[in-house]
Amino acid sequence: MKKLLSIILSVVLCFSAVSVMCVPASAADVADKTLKFKGDGEFKILQLADLQDTALAQSLTYEYIEAIINEEDPDLIVLTGDNIAGGTGDALTESVARWQVKKGIDNTMSFLDAFNIPVAVVFGNHDGEALIGKEEQMAMYQTYGCCVGYDEGDSLYGCGTYNLPIYSSDGEKIVYNLWMFDSNMYDDVKGGYDYVHEDQIEWYVNKSNELKAQNGGEVVPSMVFQHIIVNEVYDALVEVPANTPNSIKSGDKWLGLPEGVDGILGEGPCPGTQDSLQFETMVAQGDVKAMFFGHDHVNSFVIPYQGIDIVNSPTSGFGSYGNKESRGIRVITINEKDTSKYETKVINYYEKFVANSDQKNAQECRYLMSEGDVWNAIRYLFLSSELGIPFYKAFYEILCLIF
């Protein structure tokens, strides 16, 4: 029933697309798309994971993102997949599907474009479920001036595998590198999630060696951003007593975070169906300091393993499942004075905007409403004026969350 209503609404909105679509005729250009460290030596990244937006924008998500952008002043924003929700673009006709996908992308990109901050994009498994392929989606992203995402070439498996070098603050040399991988969708043979394929790994080794040669024979320190986590996460977790808090059951064993690792293990990680050789190749290559993933919405941790940090970031949006403890935006800070390390934190939505809010009642209602609590949605709607929120806005938000 919900899907039927969504399709009907999409068709209706499609006929009024001229008035509601926000794709800019000429997107605001980023003055210089070359990434480089600021004068103080810092480079800051915001990772936005699993926004899962639809043709109807999630206003609560974007209020949250705006607050963090204004607070942190990042140099780059990375969308790490499932940028649009599953079912977006799964319409009765290709033209309606294209409108749904384009509008879902526009919700995010027209919003981010206004901040004049470069935006990198990788795809998740849900992005590829639409009738509109990832290649066409990447072309849609590239219509926005803030977008620095691209595809390295048709010869590589998937779409959206590329790298972004970061130059020194004086612009003279590459001192850091960001790897963006399409971790693909589903394993058609085994039926689980897919992984980074051999040709992508070969491309990485060649490009890494090229950067090393340009750097006088020294590897260029780097990070990886992709959607689906690597299988080695299960090797990095440790065996714990049964039913230990913050643990998961794997086969006949209970697993938890290693001692000294702060974080949340809210669900079993969902890597690809097989080891792709990606992780061990990067260990051998010696340039990657950390790998950042989304995909597992209620996991949030940094686990050092064989010289590489395996980092899971929680969902940043309100388009799919999550919880108070884990929903957040990850901030990553690199300093060119010491590129051997980095700093990272997750700004939790609930802790920052609900627990200590002056409008706690309003925010609590909106948060619970985003979690699918029907009673709180009704309560939020009829108490909207008392809470200082226009009725039409509350009604629109509820429609966005239903559809």
Side-chain angles (χ1 to χ4, degrees), residues 56-134:
L56 289 169
Q58 310 162 26
S59 60
L60 191 55
T61 295
Y62 294 110
E63 289 174 20
Y64 176 27
I65 294 172
E66 181 175 14
I68 304 305
I69 289 175
N70 290 336
E71 181 177 299
E72 295 292 334
D73 189 24
D75 302 289
L76 176 70
I77 296 169
V78 182
L79 305 177
T80 51
D82 283 6
N83 309 313
I84 57 175
T88 302
D90 181 15
L92 294 174
T93 67
E94 186 174 317
S95 59
V96 173
R98 181 170 286 105
W99 175 81
Q100 289 178 329
V101 169
K102 193 171 185 180
K103 186 65 177 70
I105 290 172
D106 179 68
N107 290 337
T108 302
M109 294 302 288
S110 62
F111 167 79
L112 294 177
D113 208 35
F115 294 96
N116 207 34
I117 298 169
V119 178
V121 181
V122 295
F123 293 116
N125 52 291
H126 286 312
D127 296 300
E129 292 172 356
L131 292 177
I132 309 306
K134 292 185 289 186

Side-chain angles (χ1 to χ4, degrees), residues 20-80:
V20 300
M21 287 182 66
C22 305
V23 177
S26 56
D29 291 326
V30 175
D32 183 359
K33 286 188 178 181
T34 300
L35 305 180
K36 66 179 184 179
F37 288 89
K38 292 193 288 276
D40 62 2
E42 280 195 351
F43 189 90
K44 189 175 290 188
I45 303 168
L46 289 191
Q47 180 191 4
L48 303 180
D50 300 86
L51 295 181
Q52 296 207 20
D53 207 351
T54 66
L56 289 169
Q58 310 162 26
S59 60
L60 191 55
T61 295
Y62 294 110
E63 289 174 20
Y64 176 27
I65 294 172
E66 181 175 14
I68 304 305
I69 289 175
N70 290 336
E71 181 177 299
E72 295 292 334
D73 189 24
D75 302 289
L76 176 70
I77 296 169
V78 182
L79 305 177
T80 51

Side-chain angles (χ1 to χ4, degrees), residues 17 41 77 132 145 169 188 220 257 291 312 352 387 401:
I77 296 169
I132 309 306
S169 52
D188 293 333
V220 175
L257 299 175
M291 303 179 75
N312 205 128
K352 186 167 185 65
L387 297 170
L401 290 160

